[in-house]
Amino acid sequence: MPAPPSLPELQRAFARALQGGEAPALHAWIAARGIDPAARLRIYRHAGYAIHVEVLATAFPALRRLLGEDSFDGLATRHAARHGNCSGNLQDYGADFADFIAAQAETAAWPWLDAVARLEWLRQQAVLAADEAPADAGALLAALANAQGTLRLRPSVRVLRSDWAVLDLWRHALLPDVATPEPAVPQAVLLWREHAQVAMRAIAPAQAAFAEALCRRAPLADALAEAQAVDAATPPEALLQPLLEHALFAA
């Protein structure tokens, strides 16, 4: 019998086997105990797939409803087999799922599905973001007076600009009385965490451009310029309105 592999070699071979790769060199070091080593690896592999599918089902409930459970579970299993989780934290798993959905031939007839997935991943980010107190009025007024300064948003704030009616599609999927929307209507969405829940509202494109720039820590003047490039008629106070209304500026 050859020399036993090192622990790192065993771990890498086991990881490859869980991802669907063949690992015949590993079989000699697996105690059969009535089960063929290859079959024992398949048990672990299928259990791993099931865990990853459940994680995706939790993170993307609207997408699962829109696709149907069987179709969603099939796509999620395929994603788990091809990509798996590159992080030790399952809460990170699914960051690339929207891109995966967009690339699948069977979803081509519904090009808005990946937009719903992107919205749901932003919801995941918002719910897991750090907490931070809102800015008080005095500090906020001082920051607004400095065009080259930055206005920080609270960590849970996220923005999505989409070519599709993504918020209406999400609501239609999960809320019982929401009528089927016309998908091909562009929509921008502001997301944040409020009382341990994710809140969302549709906002104007210029408001979304302004909030996106602030999320990137752009100076106030640059954020205003980006918003005006989208819609020069939107006044600065309208750009600030949804962020002030929900106390989304950070202290």
Side-chain angles (χ1 to χ4, degrees):
M1 177 176 283
S6 67
L7 178 59
E9 289 171 337
L10 281 171
Q11 290 171 329
R12 285 193 292 269
F14 185 64
R16 286 194 300 271
L18 292 186
Q19 283 300 109
E22 295 300 323
L26 191 60
H27 296 175
W29 308 103
I30 298 174
R33 295 178 183 172
I35 302 177
D36 178 74
R40 192 179 287 274
L41 284 174
R42 285 195 297 272
I43 291 170
Y44 277 104
R45 184 184 306 138
H46 293 157
Y49 289 168
I51 291 169
H52 285 75
V53 169
E54 184 61 30
V55 169
L56 292 177
T58 301
F60 299 94
L63 182 64
R64 192 171 192 238
R65 186 72 62 83
L66 291 167
L67 278 166
E69 291 185 7
D70 290 344
S71 295
F72 179 92
D73 291 356
L75 287 166
T77 301
R78 191 188 309 168
H79 181 273
R82 293 182 181 178
H83 301 277
N85 183 25
C86 297
S87 166
N89 185 352
L90 280 174
Q91 290 178 328
D92 297 332
Y93 181 59
D96 63 343
F97 195 52
D99 290 337
F100 175 82
I101 291 295
Q104 304 311 301
E106 58 263 54
T107 64
W110 305 281
W112 37 265
L113 285 172
D114 67 286
V116 176
R118 295 181 203 286
L119 180 67
E120 295 204 284
W121 187 250
L122 291 181
R123 288 178 57 85
Q124 170 91 340
Q125 291 181 320
V127 80
L128 295 174
D131 200 9
E132 193 167 341
D136 62 66
L140 187 54
L141 287 172
L144 287 169
N146 180 10
Q148 297 308 313
T150 57
L151 287 169
R152 290 196 312 111
L153 297 179
R154 298 174 73 182
S156 68
V157 176
R158 298 291 187 276
V159 184
L160 178 65
R161 282 192 281 176
S162 176
D163 293 332
W164 307 98
V166 61
L167 181 57
D168 293 342
L169 287 163
W170 183 90
R171 287 173 171 162
H172 167 66
L174 294 180
L175 302 178
D177 298 324
V178 176
T180 304
E182 168 52 52
V185 177
Q187 201 165 42
V189 185
L190 179 68
L191 307 89
W192 69 98
R193 191 175 65 243
E194 187 173 279
H195 307 305
Q197 300 293 323
V198 178
M200 301 188 294
R201 62 174 284 181
I203 55 176
Q207 292 172 326
F210 180 71
E212 281 181 334
L214 295 184
C215 285
R216 299 194 310 269
R217 304 290 182 92
L220 178 58
D222 291 353
L224 289 169
E226 290 189 32
Q228 289 172 345
V230 173
D231 183 0
T234 303
E237 58 269 25
L239 301 175
L240 291 165
Q241 182 265 328
L243 303 173
L244 291 172
E245 184 176 331
H246 301 288
L248 299 183
F249 289 106

